[in-house]
Amino acid sequence: MQDYQAVLEYWFGDGSDAARRQRELWFAGSARVDAKVRERFLPEVERAERGELDHWRKTPDACLALIVVLDQFPLMTFRGEARGYRDGDLALPAARHLVEHGFDAGYTPSERLFAYLPFEHSEDLADQERALELFGKIRDLPGMAMAYDYAVKHWEVVKRFGRFPHRNDALGRTSTPQEIEFLKQPGSRFGG
């Protein structure tokens, strides 16, 4: 089995249990799951950070795996740390490549969700607007309406503040008084 196939198998399974994966793996934020991802995939994350997995961009499946390795695994492996957010920026070129080459056309709705998340995780307003466009194309697919709603929420925060205030501590940034007030609101941290 190719390395990228192990990533896809772990992250998506056979595609039949997306609801369970969403609850338990994708958006749960548990220390147990974070530790498992760290134990199993930290070498791939580190290789991807060094650019050693850039050849994965060549095919649709491998490119999707690269995005998961650079966008999702660091958020789990380095939860609340600057490194986790930095790697998301490393995922953007792969996501752009994937979309430009139409790799997403053959993906399941869940796969498209993760292919587009680097745009949503970016603090650049143009990337946020691209996320709205991409998630808008899939919002009527089964289970994707909430994904579009989250894209809108991310866009609103970046439009308002020019960044995600919940990252300020990890990135050593000083929060403005408006950001401090915002962070007191439920749901302002997007899970990490």
Side-chain angles (χ1 to χ4, degrees), residues 130-149:
R130 185 71 169 134
L132 289 178
E133 177 188 329
L134 292 166
F135 281 105
K137 292 178 180 180
I138 64 170
R139 75 184 195 190
D140 293 331
L141 297 176
M144 291 297 117
M146 185 180 292
Y148 179 77
D149 293 343

Side-chain angles (χ1 to χ4, degrees), residues 52-124:
E52 294 172 13
L53 300 181
D54 286 352
H55 63 281
W56 284 12
R57 291 185 190 191
K58 293 179 182 177
T59 66
D61 286 348
C63 194
L64 179 60
L66 180 61
I67 290 168
V68 171
V69 167
L70 284 170
D71 187 65
Q72 293 299 304
F73 289 173
L75 289 172
M76 300 167 88
T77 302
F78 312 111
R79 189 171 298 280
E81 298 175 25
R83 185 175 177 184
Y85 301 124
R86 181 200 68 212
D87 286 1
D89 291 339
L90 296 175
L92 268 168
R96 287 186 184 109
H97 176 85
L98 180 148
V99 171
E100 288 168 9
H101 287 81
F103 289 170
D104 53 326
Y107 291 167
T108 67
S110 295
E111 291 168 341
R112 289 175 79 178
L113 165 76
F114 287 100
Y116 303 156
L117 277 178
F119 295 99
E120 183 177 308
H121 291 161
S122 172
E123 291 185 318
D124 181 274

Side-chain angles (χ1 to χ4, degrees), residues 14 17 22 24 31 35 50 64 66 68 77 79-80 83 91 93 126 144 146 149-150 152 155 161 163 165 184 190:
D14 65 6
D17 61 349
Q22 181 172 340
E24 297 175 11
R50 292 189 301 265
L64 179 60
L66 180 61
V68 171
T77 302
R79 189 171 298 280
R83 185 175 177 184
M144 291 297 117
M146 185 180 292
D149 293 343
Y150 269 96
V152 170
W155 171 79
F161 298 108
R163 61 189 185 176
K184 293 177 183 176
F190 299 115

Side-chain angles (χ1 to χ4, degrees), residues 134-187:
L134 292 166
F135 281 105
K137 292 178 180 180
I138 64 170
R139 75 184 195 190
D140 293 331
L141 297 176
M144 291 297 117
M146 185 180 292
Y148 179 77
D149 293 343
Y150 269 96
V152 170
K153 289 177 183 179
H154 282 74
W155 171 79
E156 289 172 344
V157 171
V158 172
K159 186 172 194 279
R160 179 175 174 189
F161 298 108
R163 61 189 185 176
F164 292 116
H166 73 277
R167 297 180 182 178
N168 289 349
D169 287 342
L171 297 174
R173 303 186 301 210
T174 303
S175 295
T176 66
Q178 295 84 4
E179 289 174 332
I180 292 168
E181 281 306 307
F182 171 75
L183 290 172
K184 293 177 183 176
Q185 305 305 310

